Amino acid sequence: MPQPPPRLVLATHNPGKVREISALLAPLGVGVIAAGDLGLPEPEETEDSFAGNALLKARAAASSSGLPALSDDSGLEVAALGGAPGVVSARWAGPEKDFGVAMARVERELAASGTLDRSARFVCALALAQPDGAQAVFEGQLRGALTWPPRGKNGFGYDPIFVPEGQEKTCGEMTPEAKHAISHRAMAFKKLLAFWGAPA
Ligand code: ITT
């Protein structure tokens, strides 16, 4: 059974992900170094699946740092938009990474689709890569529905317009602990813990 490594590189340049993944890793005593702090470049995401892009990012960080690397590729899939924005969820925010713009685009396209179906899901693929080439991917999802206007200042990305199934608050209104109890990232993380043989 593989063990949690003493140190790993978090192969992400997204501060929201660094915050959430560091909190998930904290109880394991794993030391975390963010890719940005090592000056690692942001690889171009050329795959068409969350798992493919997660592996690409983890492999790039492991080979340039010589340390185990953990990456996260995630996004929002809106049913009425055929799964968009999906793997290009970050790109909808443009070069300024303005998620006000991205959320408004989701709402605009949903209105234009003429459907009443507001269902959506968040998807997360976590990839672990070792410098020796060993690798694994763990996936999680969170089902919910989209609301408008955006509500809440917690979380990041599309959180203010996403209401998880069975909840009334958006992810932007939830505490970090409440989001960790149900999130796509936490569900993928549970599978990583099982792989490491660590208690969930
Ligand atoms: P890295 O590639 O450096 O990790 P990124 O932001 O470009 O950062 P992605 O390509 O995986 O990452 O884009 C995923 C986008 O999906 C992300 O920017 C968010 O806007 C959105 N997203 C993912 N998880 C989310 C969450 O828990 N809550 C809200 N939005 C989320």
Side-chain angles (χ1 to χ4, degrees):
M1 178 75 70
Q3 302 282 313
R7 280 190 323 151
L8 59 71
V9 176
L10 266 192
T12 174
H13 290 77
N14 179 323
K17 291 184 186 176
V18 173
R19 235 181 3 254
E20 291 192 4
I21 299 171
S22 301
L24 291 165
L25 283 169
L28 297 175
V30 175
V32 169
I33 312 161
D37 294 341
L38 285 181
L40 300 185
E42 230 178 311
E44 202 190 334
E45 297 181 24
T46 49
E47 298 291 326
D48 58 8
S49 68
F50 294 107
N53 282 324
L55 279 169
L56 177 155
K57 292 188 272 191
R59 277 201 302 259
S63 70
S64 50
S65 68
L67 289 169
L70 181 66
S71 70
D72 169 314
D73 200 65
S74 45
L76 177 72
E77 290 187 343
V78 180
L81 303 183
V87 291
V88 295
S89 291
R91 271 177 238 167
W92 276 31
E96 305 294 324
K97 303 195 177 175
D98 183 342
F99 281 92
V101 168
M103 291 188 285
R105 178 168 171 193
V106 169
E107 185 57 22
R108 202 169 56 242
E109 296 205 7
L110 211 44
S113 77
T115 169
L116 295 178
D117 178 6
R118 299 188 64 88
S119 63
R121 65 174 187 158
F122 275 134
V123 179
C124 174
L126 292 176
L128 186 64
Q130 305 286 353
D132 69 6
Q135 60 185 41
V137 187
F138 311 93
E139 294 195 84
Q141 64 164 333
L142 175 61
R143 292 185 186 283
L146 299 173
T147 189
W148 193 259
R151 302 196 314 257
K153 299 220 175 302
N154 294 339
F156 66 99
Y158 298 88
D159 278 340
I161 57 167
F162 188 90
V163 181
E165 223 166 57
Q167 310 273 329
E168 288 178 2
K169 289 183 176 172
T170 67
C171 285
E173 295 173 307
M174 296 168 83
T175 61
E177 294 72 26
K179 186 178 171 190
H180 286 328
I182 56 171
S183 82
H184 45 308
R185 188 159 292 106
M187 295 308 116
F189 198 78
K190 265 192 183 171
K191 296 179 185 171
L192 170 62
L193 288 182
F195 173 76
W196 277 337

